[in-house]
Amino acid sequence: MIDDLVVLLGVIKTVALVLGGIVSLLAYRAYRRTQIDGLQYFAVGLIVITIGTFLIGVLHHLLGVPSVQGMLFESLLLCIGFLIMIHGLYGY
């Protein structure tokens, strides 16, 4: 049963990686079309979040990183991605 859940989690994380990549690509294409700098930062922030979410599963299941350390790393990447997006959308 546990192995089935791990496989299901891997499939869902992979789908999330693909969907996040598609949204990031669409945001980058919108930047190229409109030249609005905020969209470029939005795309970069989103890809950081997407890769971070996927990477934690790889670190935990393939390299044996403990769950708490992995969640800390994932949360750190989420914060970095959101900060990039905020910077792009609102600037300083």
Side-chain angles (χ1 to χ4, degrees):
M1 180 67 175
I2 297 296
D3 291 336
D4 293 339
L5 290 176
V6 171
V7 170
L8 180 61
L9 179 62
V11 169
I12 291 172
K13 288 278 191 179
T14 303
V15 169
L17 178 69
V18 171
L19 294 174
I22 290 170
V23 174
S24 298
L25 179 63
L26 292 173
Y28 182 72
R29 285 183 180 172
Y31 159 72
R32 296 277 308 228
R33 195 172 50 252
T34 63
Q35 295 299 308
I36 298 171
D37 288 334
L39 288 173
Q40 184 179 22
Y41 285 99
F42 185 82
V44 170
L46 188 58
I47 201 71
V48 167
I49 292 169
T50 301
I51 290 173
T53 300
F54 181 78
L55 189 59
I56 183 53
V58 172
L59 291 174
H60 178 68
H61 291 288
L62 298 182
L63 301 178
V65 173
S67 294
V68 174
Q69 289 177 346
M71 289 184 340
L72 178 64
F73 180 69
E74 181 182 22
S75 296
L76 179 64
L77 287 176
L78 279 169
C79 290
I80 290 169
F82 284 135
L83 285 172
I84 292 169
M85 293 166 81
I86 289 168
H87 172 73
L89 294 174
Y90 290 104
Y92 285 98

